[in-house]
Amino acid sequence: MEQQLGRILVVDDEVVNVTVLRGILRQAGYEVLSAANGPASRALATAERPDMILLDVMMPGESGFEVCKKLKEDPSTAHVPIIFVTSLSDVSQKLTGLELGAVDYITKPFFAPEVVARVRSHMDFQRRQGDIIQEQASRLGQIQAAQRALLVRPEQLPGARFAVHFVPVLEAGGDFYEVVDFGQGRAAYFLADVSGHDLGASFITSSLKALFHQHAAPDRHPVETLKAMNRILCAITPEELYLTAVHLYVDRARGTYALSVAGHPPVLACRAAEPVSFIDLPGSPLGLFEAVDFASVEGRLNPGDRFYLYTDGLADGVNGGLATSPAFRAQLAETCTRNATAPLPESVRRIVTELVGESALGDDVVLLGVEA
């Protein structure tokens, strides 16, 4: 019975108050833990993970307000609802507690039905909130699975000679890539970074896939493809949503490539017998302005040449966290050079691992490697 209703931590330096509250709460079916001061209560909260904390305001050493502030700053206890226990009638004191993150007050002397009603109300709310979060997590998992299903895998298009490493920061991310193999050594590659990391960013990815397949073609320059996509995105996306993108077209039979960029980080080129170099082109993001032009570059290809397309999340693990920073460019160039002789899939994996490592990501990460 006790375990089913929940576990409550009572924090009060007065033994009689702890005894009274323990009796009231146990009678109502709750398990009760207790602590007599701030440090002990914080240690107990971290170790036992109570479902709720009843916290006295006036205590020697750390006041209840100080304890509350520290509990809310600790990620392991920040979610636990706190109800202050006080004899204070000063409204400003109550407001202070609520501003610190408490959910309610219980006044002394205790009136048992009121204590149980307030505890039960907030406990039920917390439980319902947990159910909602679990339901949303389940739905996000379904969205993530659907989003992943949209992404083409290298083994599906072996003739396109690409490898990819994709690390979404949330269950549903805003980064997207697509590859179209036209056959006879011709392939088109598209990488985009949608503004934001929320569901709104992830929902546009299905549209991007359809748009790229509709407009990319062997006889169409990347600039024209981006222009066509931009006109449609301006019409279908809200004003606050836009995306940076890069479009690479490779013709291995002719030994040529064409590249165009829409406000995206530069492409890293790793060519045989040449130092690595960045192809940095100006360009406006997609979805902002209908009348816009995109810079482009064309060049020759040699067997073994590689291009690395990436989103700016790759820079998060590097000092500064900016894809345009000299520090990031230098480290990316060095990492690519060091892994230039590894098979492309292994090279892509190593580059992401060495740059991002185990750091907490603040943005989605995609690295798309293409080999001539």
Side-chain angles (χ1 to χ4, degrees):
M1 180 78 171
E2 295 173 353
Q3 290 291 341
Q4 291 177 346
L5 289 183
R7 175 186 292 181
I8 299 175
L9 171 60
V10 175
V11 185
D12 199 313
D13 62 307
E14 294 288 343
V15 176
V16 64
N17 291 335
V18 174
T19 302
V20 171
L21 286 174
R22 180 184 289 116
I24 293 172
L25 294 171
R26 282 183 173 175
Q27 182 69 28
Y30 295 99
E31 179 184 357
V32 181
L33 307 172
S34 63
N37 55 63
S41 69
R42 289 187 284 108
L44 196 58
T46 301
E48 298 295 335
R49 305 296 176 91
D51 300 299
M52 179 174 289
I53 298 174
L54 302 190
L55 179 59
D56 186 28
V57 173
M58 305 301 293
M59 294 188 297
E62 288 183 6
S63 70
F65 293 149
E66 292 173 304
V67 176
C68 179
K69 185 174 185 294
K70 292 179 179 179
L71 287 170
K72 292 302 177 182
E73 290 173 348
D74 186 342
S76 67
T77 55
H79 66 286
V80 181
I82 295 174
I83 296 179
F84 275 120
V85 177
T86 180
S87 56
L88 297 175
S89 58
D90 188 345
V91 174
S92 64
Q93 292 274 19
K94 293 184 178 181
L95 290 175
T96 297
L98 294 174
E99 288 173 356
L100 288 172
V103 297
D104 206 348
Y105 270 89
I106 294 175
T107 56
K108 305 173 188 176
F110 303 121
F111 178 51
E114 179 190 10
V115 172
V116 173
R118 290 184 182 274
V119 166
R120 183 169 294 159
S121 173
H122 291 290
M123 194 78 82
D124 288 346
F125 174 80
Q126 190 78 357
R127 189 172 292 110
R128 289 193 302 271
Q129 191 176 47
D131 292 341
I132 292 172
I133 291 173
Q134 286 186 346
E135 182 180 357
Q136 290 177 334
S138 176
R139 291 181 178 178
L140 283 174
Q142 294 172 2
I143 293 172
Q144 182 189 45
Q147 187 181 24
R148 289 293 186 92
L150 291 173
L151 302 175
V152 64
R153 303 301 303 165
E155 58 270 20
Q156 296 174 302
L157 300 175
R161 297 185 187 177
F162 76 98
V164 65
H165 195 96
F166 183 23
V167 185
V169 66
L170 297 177
E171 287 85 348
D175 286 6
F176 175 79
Y177 72 89
E178 180 62 341
V179 178
V180 180
D181 187 357
F182 301 113
Q184 300 179 338
R186 303 166 302 173
Y189 308 86
F190 180 78
L191 180 63
D193 186 352
V194 185
S195 59
H197 309 141
D198 56 11
L199 292 181
S202 68
F203 286 151
I204 196 175
T205 55
S206 59
S207 300
L208 289 177
K209 186 180 183 76
L211 281 175
F212 189 65
H213 275 264
Q214 180 182 356
H215 295 286
D219 58 350
R220 195 167 200 177
H221 195 280
V223 168
E224 297 307 316
T225 300
L226 291 183
K227 282 184 176 181
M229 294 178 67
N230 180 65
R231 286 193 293 270
I232 297 174
L233 288 169
C234 283
I236 68 172
T237 58
E239 292 183 0
E240 68 276 6
L241 195 148
Y242 62 90
L243 56 138
T244 65
V246 56
H247 176 11
L248 171 68
Y249 174 74
V250 169
D251 189 332
R252 295 178 178 85
R254 294 184 177 181
T256 62
Y257 75 89
L259 175 71
S260 186
V261 173
H264 202 77
V267 171
L268 183 66
C270 187
R271 297 185 175 91
E274 293 184 21
V276 297
S277 60
F278 288 92
I279 304 176
D280 200 350
L281 299 173
S284 174
L286 301 178
L288 282 180
F289 312 106
E290 289 188 15
V292 66
D293 205 352
F294 302 102
S296 66
V297 65
E298 298 84 29
R300 299 293 304 176
L301 278 179
N302 295 304
D305 286 354
R306 291 179 177 178
F307 297 96
Y308 293 98
L309 289 60
Y310 53 92
T311 55
D312 57 10
L314 190 64
D316 271 6
V318 181
N319 185 30
L322 294 175
T324 55
S325 72
F328 169 71
R329 291 195 182 195
Q331 192 163 341
L332 176 59
E334 178 186 347
T335 306
C336 288
T337 302
R338 187 167 54 249
N339 293 286
T341 59
L344 186 62
E346 183 65 15
S347 173
V348 167
R349 186 192 65 80
R350 288 180 186 177
I351 291 169
V352 174
T353 301
E354 292 179 24
L355 288 177
V356 178
E358 302 300 324
S359 62
L361 301 178
D363 200 354
D364 302 330
V365 174
V366 179
L367 177 63
L368 177 68
V370 179
E371 191 167 66

